[in-house]
Amino acid sequence: MQLKNTILLLFVIGLGTTVTAQKYSSINKKEITKEWESATFSSKKTFAENISEVPEFEILSKLLKNESLRLAIEKEEMVTIFAFTDATLLKLSKKKRDSILSKTKQMNAMVKYLAVPGRVDSYSLRSAINKANGTTYLKTLDGQKLGVKEVEGQLQIIDADNRKAIVIASDFNHKNGFFHIIEGLIFPSAEE
C-alpha cells in the first residue's frame, strides 16, 4: 500500500511540474521585432515601453504614465491595443484638442475602450469580419463593444456613434499581446 501511495505521489508531482512548465514555457520565446517609421517594436517590452520613446506617441505615452491605466492594460494576460498617434489629435482644432486632452478621466476611458482582451491580429480580425458578413464586434477592457469592418482592404474600427478610425499599421507584438496603429478618434459611449 505504501508503494502505491509513493508512486501516486510521484505521478502527481510529475504531472504538476509538467503542466506548470507548459504554462510558462512561452516566457523564453524568441524576441519578435517589427519596424514602423523610425521605431522598432519588440515582443520583449510592454506596450508602454514600446511607445515610450517614439515621438508619434507622446500623448498616449503620457497617458500611460497613469499607473492605474497602465496596470489595467498590463494585468491582462493577453491584450490587443488600437494605438492612436499624436497626429490624430493634432488634426483637430486647438480648441477641440485642448478640450479633449484636458479631460483626463475621459482620455483614460478612451484608452481602455481601445484595448481588447486577447491577442487579436489582423488575420483574426478579417476572419471574424467575414464570418459576421461585414462587421464584427469586440468586447473592450471597459466592457463596451468596438466594431471592426473592412472597407476597400483597410480595417476600420467603429464606435457606438459611428465614428471611424482606420488601422494604418498592424500586428506589432508587445509583451502581452498585439497592437495596431490607428488614425482617427473614437470614444466609448457617452464620452467625447
Side-chain angles (χ1 to χ4, degrees), residues 75-107:
K75 77 174 180 147
E76 292 294 318
E77 189 169 331
M78 291 292 154
V79 65
T80 299
I81 302 161
F82 295 94
F84 60 89
T85 63
D86 292 359
T88 297
L89 286 162
L90 294 174
K91 289 179 182 177
L92 301 173
S93 70
K94 181 171 176 19
K95 183 178 179 181
K96 177 96 170 154
R97 181 175 60 243
D98 290 346
S99 173
I100 291 170
L101 292 174
S102 69
K103 299 174 185 171
T104 306
K105 186 176 178 181
Q106 285 85 355
M107 289 298 292

Side-chain angles (χ1 to χ4, degrees), residues 11 14 27 53 57 62 71 77 82 86 96 98 106 111 116-117 134 136 139 161 186:
F11 175 74
I27 290 174
E53 295 181 18
F57 292 107
K62 190 178 289 185
L71 291 177
E77 189 169 331
F82 295 94
D86 292 359
K96 177 96 170 154
D98 290 346
Q106 285 85 355
V111 173
V116 177
T136 190
K139 188 175 180 182
D161 293 326
I186 61 172

Side-chain angles (χ1 to χ4, degrees), residues 44 48 51 62 70 84 91 95 130 134 141 145 159:
K44 296 278 186 179
I51 67 166
K62 190 178 289 185
R70 190 182 72 255
F84 60 89
K91 289 179 182 177
K95 183 178 179 181
N130 287 334
L141 276 187
K145 287 184 181 178
D159 66 18

